[in-house]
Amino acid sequence: LFGIFVDYGPEASPDTRDPVAALANASGGNAQRPRDNTINDFYPMFQDVHGMMFIGFGFLMAFLGRYGYSSIGLNFLLGAFVVQWATLVLGFFHQHSSYSEQVDLSIKNMLTADFAAAAVMITFGAVLGKVSALQLLIIAFLEIIFFSVNEMIGISELKVVDIGGSMFVHTFGAYFGLAVSLALASRTRVARKPGSHKEGSVYHSDLFAMI
């Protein structure tokens, strides 16, 4: 799918200056007309958010004593899948709204895909220890579609301004995780209070979660 629908954005060009200015500089002129290069502006932010997705959430999900170690590996699996899938799905919605012929693999789109991955990681915390790796991938596959529809309705139709993603990322991921957890739980389990020792923490899980 990436080979068919995705292509590098214009800022991926090695020449980040205006061609006219580059020609003038090469011929001894002093014209300097820098072309907009979003990589220089957004790459530090992308580094921080990307590290949070693969390292921050990974150790944060180590809060359970029984599933602490596997949660880090599952976080890497989900992150690698969701970033790619979100790039495609969000790009398709952008294509529909802007009548573009391709999905640009730009630093902005990669940053947006990381924010979509954050919603999935929050959902991951609600179902940790209850689902397998394959079920997590299925949940992530469906959640990104609903996440994109919800974001498109909120931003394009309702003109919502969501600074920091408190509604579209954090709240959506939390309620989606609660809905999935409720759907997976049996009626008898919901009726009584959970008391399994697997749901508690131990010293090393609290230590990793603190990281």
Side-chain angles (χ1 to χ4, degrees):
L1 291 177
F2 261 74
I4 298 174
F5 297 107
V6 180
D7 197 5
Y8 288 108
E11 65 271 14
S13 173
D15 183 14
T16 59
R17 296 173 300 173
D18 186 16
V20 177
L23 182 61
N25 292 328
S27 60
N30 57 2
Q32 291 287 342
R33 293 193 301 174
R35 194 170 62 193
D36 182 26
N37 188 356
T38 55
I39 294 180
N40 294 336
D41 298 331
F42 289 95
Y43 188 72
M45 185 190 303
F46 171 76
Q47 279 184 310
D48 296 338
V49 176
H50 207 63
M52 182 179 65
M53 291 304 105
F54 286 92
I55 300 176
F57 272 106
F59 284 101
L60 179 64
M61 296 305 167
F63 62 90
L64 288 181
R66 185 175 178 85
Y67 304 100
Y69 295 121
S70 60
S71 67
I72 301 175
L74 291 173
N75 176 82
F76 288 157
L77 174 66
L78 275 182
F81 170 75
V82 169
V83 168
Q84 298 177 71
W85 178 233
T87 301
L88 282 171
V89 175
L90 292 170
F92 290 152
F93 281 102
H94 179 72
Q95 276 183 306
H96 177 72
S97 60
S98 62
Y99 303 101
S100 177
E101 296 182 356
Q102 65 183 17
V103 177
D104 287 337
L105 187 60
S106 62
I107 192 71
K108 286 184 178 180
N109 289 345
M110 294 173 67
L111 187 60
T112 305
D114 271 339
F115 281 117
V120 177
M121 297 306 169
I122 294 171
T123 300
F124 175 38
V127 297
L128 178 61
K130 301 177 181 179
V131 294
S132 64
L134 179 60
Q135 289 172 322
L136 281 173
L137 291 176
I138 296 174
I139 293 171
F141 179 87
L142 296 174
E143 183 174 0
I144 289 299
I145 298 175
F146 290 117
F147 172 87
S148 303
V149 172
N150 180 64
E151 188 180 53
M152 184 188 69
I153 294 174
I155 295 178
S156 301
E157 302 297 330
L158 302 180
K159 309 299 180 183
V160 174
V161 178
D162 185 21
I163 303 299
S166 59
M167 291 185 292
F168 296 137
V169 177
H170 299 90
T171 305
F172 177 83
Y175 278 104
F176 194 91
L178 289 175
V180 173
S181 181
L182 182 62
L184 293 175
S186 62
R187 294 181 181 272
T188 56
R189 184 63 181 274
V190 174
R192 70 174 190 271
K193 294 182 179 180
S196 175
H197 68 280
K198 298 179 182 180
E199 299 176 359
S201 63
V202 293
Y203 173 77
H204 70 269
S205 67
D206 288 336
L207 188 63
F208 280 131
M210 183 188 68
I211 297 176

